[in-house]
Amino acid sequence: MNASEVLKDLKRRFPNEPEYLQAVEEVITTIEDEYNKHPEFDRYNLIERLCLPDRIFSFRISWVDDKGKVQNNMGYRIQHNNAIGPYKGGIRFHSSVNQSILKFLAFEQTFKNSLTTLPMGGGKGGSDFNPKGKSDMEVMRFCQAYIAELWRHIGPDTDVPAGDIGVGGREVGYMYGMYKKMARENTGTFTGKGLEFGGSLVRPEATGYGNVYFLLNMLATRGIDIKGKKVAISGSGNVATYTAKKLLSLGAKVVTMSDSNGTIYVPEGITEEQLEYIFKLKNIYRGRIKEFAEEYYCEYFDGGRPWGVKCDIAMPSATQNELDGDDARTLLANGVIAVSEGANMPSTPEAVHEFLKAKILYAPGKAANAGGVSVSGLEMAQNSQKLTWSAEEVDAKLQNIMKNIHEQCVKYGSEPDGTVNYVKGANVAGFMKVAKAMMAQGII
Ligand code: NDP
Ligand code: 2IT
């Protein structure tokens, strides 16, 4: 089957998995030309093998809440592809989690990890457990119950999970603790661990900082300075807050942040003190972004997203499909010059089409947010060596990796008119490495 036929067949087989099909369609349609130049790929039915996950674990997670009531959730781990290294990718806890969402994330992760230059395959896991409003002990018991089932399928050279939505340092700590107890080893099977037990410096910051480094590389191609630029960010979690921190240090203005309930708008840009408030609000008090608007008397769009405000740059950093075609057209009408995705697949296909048509600087998540998993890869390297590197060393490596990813996008995504299609560049570069590794390893 050629690439288009494979896509058609996947749509027939998985009609109830829209996010998975969305991610697959974007990759297949952008790599098709390159794929067709290699008849040997087709002979080995490579594209279908690359789209279907190696395996999926799904299981019931039963745990007891603070009231003594038994709760049941679904847990998953998708091991998508390990052609270039052990399965690697985050764990998501959110009420929306289902197999389609995790399959899309594991598929994307495979190409993203390929771009990082480090030896990591792609995977993703999670649960429909909703952490909102849960006590610390409930979160701990849930994490332990999840790992009681998953531990036998993961390991430092097999599959290395990390954080994602709803999973940060606290949850990784609880999961790693349980893993260590079950597996009777201390080899660093998770990344994003606490600094006291094998975590890497700069891992919490890495996705947000990496996205800003990628943005700087893109802006440099057009000689644009970040200083004074107005940036609309969505989300107020790990990725969003560290994106904001790096932007502030570079003299840019962060005009919006959000959560699933609404958006704050600060036209003159939030201050470092205000950002510190958001860090505490989200990580310690686990409150809502609305409380920021009440504290600082700024505008708040109840239930609204950030994309209607005037800004030069947009950095969607919350979740998939949070920026649609209308939002893209509004941003473009307001003069946006760059969109760099912190989240995975935050722009709908229609929005991506608008950005590409307008030829603004548009970076898809698998390139722009790869800094997080890159420093996860560096954490794995440190754990294997039983050493820790300084923050300066890790940050320098991160900057270098983001520069390298940008170069790969330019290499494979340059258009005759001199612009760069970063979607095509990232997909083709990510694909070629995995494809060559799969060819070399035979049909397995
Ligand atoms: P967090 O849980 O720390 O933060 C998520 C933020 O997004 C919160 O503000 C949350 O609001 C908001 N959000 C989540 N779901 C929705 C939704 N359905 N609608 C509106 N807002 C929503 O997660 P991260 O910052 O780690 O992840 C954000 C994105 O970045 C995800 O797409 C993730 O896959 C991606 N990513 C994360 C990496 C990492 O290292 N952590 C690496 C690369 C990509 P609320 O609190 O109301 O739910
Ligand atoms: O989407 C992602 O790249 C992540 N959530 C981070 C994965 C990781 O293994 O660090």
Side-chain angles (χ1 to χ4, degrees), residues 200-201 377-389 394:
S200 175
L201 286 160
L378 301 179
E379 184 168 325
M380 288 164 72
Q382 292 169 79
N383 292 165
S384 306
Q385 288 182 308
K386 317 277 182 213
L387 288 174
T388 52
W389 302 339
V394 178

Side-chain angles (χ1 to χ4, degrees), residues 291-313:
E291 293 164 51
F292 177 98
E294 288 158 3
E295 178 79 15
Y296 293 105
Y297 305 104
C298 77
E299 230 180 304
Y300 177 68
F301 310 141
D302 196 24
R305 295 182 293 187
W307 317 127
V309 309
K310 193 156 175 46
C311 62
D312 305 299
I313 295 163

Side-chain angles (χ1 to χ4, degrees), residues 88-91 105 109 112-113 120 124 160-165 191 203 207 344 369-370 372-377:
K88 179 81 196 89
I91 302 271
L105 288 163
Q109 197 81 45
K112 183 194 307 191
N113 292 3
M120 297 182 290
K124 202 86 185 191
V160 184
D164 193 79
I165 291 177
T191 61
R203 176 63 189 87
T207 312
N344 286 305
N369 73 34
V373 75
S374 297
V375 175
S376 279

Side-chain angles (χ1 to χ4, degrees), residues 90 92-94 96 104-105 109 112 124 130-132 162-168 203-204 206-208 234-241 258-262 282-283 287-289 305 316-320 322 341-346 365 368-373 376:
R92 177 177 292 193
F93 292 164
H94 194 270
S96 64
F104 117 65
L105 288 163
Q109 197 81 45
K112 183 194 307 191
K124 202 86 185 191
N130 175 10
K132 287 200 185 81
D164 193 79
I165 291 177
V167 177
R203 176 63 189 87
T207 312
S234 63
S236 46
N238 171 272
V239 179
T241 45
S258 70
D259 60 22
S260 51
N261 296 110
K282 288 291 163 178
N283 296 315
R288 312 307 303 157
I289 202 73
R305 295 182 293 187
S317 307
T319 192
Q320 65 276 355
E322 54 161 320
E341 296 182 341
N344 286 305
M345 207 170 73
N369 73 34
V373 75
S376 279

Side-chain angles (χ1 to χ4, degrees), residues 171-316:
E171 292 75 15
V172 167
Y174 291 150
M175 286 192 275
Y176 182 64
M178 189 64 175
Y179 171 80
K180 190 166 60 65
K181 183 182 169 83
M182 304 298 280
R184 298 186 300 159
E185 57 165 51
N186 215 328
T187 46
T189 290
F190 277 76
T191 61
K193 300 182 293 300
L195 294 179
E196 307 78 9
F197 51 98
S200 175
L201 286 160
V202 193
R203 176 63 189 87
E205 295 87 346
T207 312
Y209 281 18
N211 191 9
V212 176
Y213 296 150
F214 195 89
L215 173 71
L216 293 177
N217 277 283
M218 286 205 296
L219 293 175
T221 65
R222 297 189 182 178
I224 302 169
D225 191 356
I226 187 91
K227 207 158 183 268
K229 293 287 177 295
K230 290 193 166 186
V231 186
I233 295 179
S234 63
S236 46
N238 171 272
V239 179
T241 45
Y242 284 108
T243 301
K245 189 169 179 186
K246 182 54 77 176
L247 285 169
L248 258 52
S249 76
L250 295 168
K253 292 183 198 308
V254 174
V255 294
T256 65
M257 295 194 71
S258 70
D259 60 22
S260 51
N261 296 110
T263 295
I264 53 158
Y265 179 39
V266 184
E268 65 282 6
I270 64 172
T271 63
E272 294 202 4
E273 178 215 313
Q274 288 173 333
L275 182 58
E276 209 38 57
Y277 175 91
I278 295 177
F279 270 109
K280 285 204 187 108
L281 180 67
K282 288 291 163 178
N283 296 315
I284 300 172
Y285 307 116
R286 300 192 185 264
R288 312 307 303 157
I289 202 73
K290 188 179 181 185
E291 293 164 51
F292 177 98
E294 288 158 3
E295 178 79 15
Y296 293 105
Y297 305 104
C298 77
E299 230 180 304
Y300 177 68
F301 310 141
D302 196 24
R305 295 182 293 187
W307 317 127
V309 309
K310 193 156 175 46
C311 62
D312 305 299
I313 295 163
M315 302 182 83

Side-chain angles (χ1 to χ4, degrees), residues 333-352:
N334 279 331
V336 79
I337 52 171
V339 177
S340 203
E341 296 182 341
N344 286 305
M345 207 170 73
S347 306
T348 64
E350 193 187 340
V352 175

